[in-house]
Amino acid sequence: MLAMRIASRVARTAIRARTPPALRSRTITTTAAVCTELGAPLTVRDDWTLAAPGPGEVLVETRAAGLNFAEVLQTKGLYQERLEPPFVPGNECSGTVEAVGAGVAHVKAGDAVIALPRGGAWARHCVVSGAAVAPLPKPPSSDAEWRQAASLAVAYGTADMALRRRARMSEGETVLITAAAGGVGLAAVELAAQAGCNVIAATGSPEKAEIALAAGAAAAVSYGDDPRAFREHVKELAPGGVDVAVDMVGGPHLEAIVRSMAFDGRCVVVGFASG
């Protein structure tokens, strides 16, 4: 529940305060992992320049940043929003507020926060819309806690949107989750299990199945090479059909998932990892 409250607050927080005079009309030089060529390794640069935070913006000193499939696609030029090099990837991070722009009042310099910069998180500093910054309940006390905070918003926010807002998941329903050992998949397994659902985790290997089972899945099924065999395995685990499906994979198995749905079932497609 705490994860969902924080992730939701990122998008709702109001912004009111003033830009410190020392920040007006100046730039910030920082270290960043820069994509200089699509499909090539990133380049670490110490001279990456950012504009100082303007009205409604926050300058965050990054302590940890998340890595999601979206960044992998962006650096290859395969994401739906194509970015042209040079650019700094990274769509979520945790860190400390260094300065705020005019109109920001919900956070102040020194606060520990999570942020959704939509690019730029893989740097020592990033400038983020104040509406996409939320204070943490308490400052992390270790690097591990900073990393946990950095990986919270995208995975759990996406999973919560899929399960609760789009699929209207209810206690006691059977929920099928593909890519169940990935970031969003694992978050979906945890949220559905906590909501009292019967969770079936679909994964690509026994090792990944163990991860999903440890997170709360009641059963696991492997994709295999034959979508029809996959459907039969799902039917064995859910004879009455699947009430909710959250699919991150797409491809030939998506039809098998749709054909496995119960009456009034809801299938939410989140991604197409298979291409």
Side-chain angles (χ1 to χ4, degrees):
M1 295 300 295
L2 177 60
M4 289 182 285
R5 289 198 297 270
I6 296 176
S8 298
R9 189 172 181 180
V10 171
R12 295 198 309 264
T13 310
I15 50 175
R16 316 170 192 84
R18 296 199 169 187
T19 303
L23 282 177
R24 292 173 188 161
S25 302
R26 77 173 178 87
T27 58
I28 301 150
T29 302
T30 190
T31 301
V34 184
C35 178
T36 58
E37 179 184 352
L38 296 176
L42 302 184
T43 301
V44 177
R45 288 177 45 177
D46 295 323
D47 60 349
W48 189 254
T49 301
L50 300 172
E57 294 181 330
V58 177
L59 174 64
V60 177
E61 181 182 12
T62 306
R63 293 294 300 269
L67 169 59
N68 299 285
F69 194 55
E71 285 94 348
V72 175
L73 295 177
Q74 285 171 340
T75 57
K76 293 181 177 180
L78 301 176
Y79 197 60
Q80 58 258 40
E81 298 174 3
R82 184 182 175 92
L83 302 176
E84 295 299 330
F87 64 88
V88 177
N91 298 310
E92 63 178 343
C93 65
S94 63
T96 304
V97 174
E98 201 161 282
V100 299
V104 179
H106 66 289
V107 293
K108 63 184 183 304
D111 284 353
V113 297
I114 58 173
L116 292 168
R118 291 194 61 80
W122 295 0
R124 296 289 186 188
H125 299 82
C126 60
V127 175
V128 192
S129 168
V133 177
L136 290 168
K138 65 178 182 178
S141 59
S142 66
D143 289 342
E145 290 187 357
W146 282 110
R147 291 193 294 269
Q148 288 175 343
S151 61
L152 172 67
V154 170
Y156 284 88
T158 303
D160 185 65
M161 172 71 76
L163 289 168
R164 298 183 188 278
R165 296 192 59 181
R166 304 308 302 169
R168 307 180 309 281
M169 170 187 67
S170 298
E171 182 179 0
E173 290 189 314
T174 295
V175 178
L176 172 65
I177 299 167
T178 65
V184 176
L186 203 58
V189 168
E190 292 181 358
L191 294 180
Q194 289 174 5
C197 294
N198 174 42
V199 180
I200 301 173
T203 66
S205 71
E207 293 78 14
K208 292 180 178 180
E210 289 300 321
I211 294 173
L213 291 169
V221 59
S222 174
Y223 301 123
D225 296 325
D226 184 356
R228 290 173 297 181
F230 170 74
R231 182 187 174 193
E232 288 302 316
H233 291 157
V234 172
K235 187 175 180 179
E236 292 173 4
L237 296 171
V242 173
D243 299 300
V244 172
V246 178
D247 181 38
M248 267 74 67
V249 178
H253 287 78
L254 179 56
E255 181 180 351
I257 293 170
V258 173
R259 290 181 178 276
S260 300
M261 304 303 297
F263 178 77
D264 201 27
R266 290 86 70 200
C267 178
V268 180
V269 177
V270 175
F272 299 92
S274 66

